Amino acid sequence: MQIIDILWLPDIVEKLASKHGIESTEVEELFASRPQFRRIQRGKIHGEDMYSAMGRTGSCRYLIVYFIRKSNGMALVISARDMDSGERKQYGRK
């Protein structure tokens, strides 16, 4: 899957920083580092499904990002957080 660009909502950027300690630049690094994608659920709008992306940032932080892939190849970030131990194991096996 190729993500062309990332769409940011100001409320989401604020939530990621205050609640999860994640900066938008870290999410952008994750998308640039060829993450593992998984479809979470089918979207209500045709062609706009929800996905997760698992990967590492430039500072070796393991993150999971939840986003809606828009039909034009852009990602609308919904949430992001550090991977838990089970997710890190799953990420390491692939």
Side-chain angles (χ1 to χ4, degrees), residues 6 10 13 17-18 22-23 29 40 50-52 65 70 77 87:
I6 301 171
V13 172
S18 64
I22 297 173
E23 299 297 324
E29 287 174 6
I40 303 296
M50 182 171 222
Y51 288 85
S52 69
V65 177
K70 298 295 207 172
V77 175
E87 290 163 338

Side-chain angles (χ1 to χ4, degrees), residues 58-69:
S59 61
C60 296
R61 188 173 180 184
Y62 290 86
L63 298 180
I64 184 165
V65 177
Y66 296 94
F67 66 98
I68 296 172
R69 183 172 187 268

Side-chain angles (χ1 to χ4, degrees), residues 9-90:
L9 299 176
D11 293 345
I12 298 296
V13 172
E14 184 179 322
K15 176 189 140 190
L16 294 181
S18 64
K19 186 175 180 182
H20 301 289
I22 297 173
E23 299 297 324
S24 58
T25 55
E26 292 179 293
V27 173
E28 291 167 357
E29 287 174 6
L30 178 135
F31 278 110
S33 68
R34 298 185 349 188
Q36 296 175 10
F37 295 105
R38 193 179 85 179
R39 188 171 82 172
I40 303 296
Q41 70 183 45
R42 189 175 305 263
K44 293 179 183 175
I45 298 172
H46 178 70
E48 294 191 359
D49 299 336
M50 182 171 222
Y51 288 85
S52 69
M54 297 170 71
R56 289 172 44 182
T57 66
S59 61
C60 296
R61 188 173 180 184
Y62 290 86
L63 298 180
I64 184 165
V65 177
Y66 296 94
F67 66 98
I68 296 172
R69 183 172 187 268
K70 298 295 207 172
S71 57
N72 60 3
M74 298 182 82
L76 173 61
V77 175
I78 303 299
S79 188
R81 60 176 173 76
D82 290 298
M83 287 185 213
D84 63 29
S85 60
E87 290 163 338
R88 281 189 65 171
K89 286 180 186 176
Q90 177 185 355

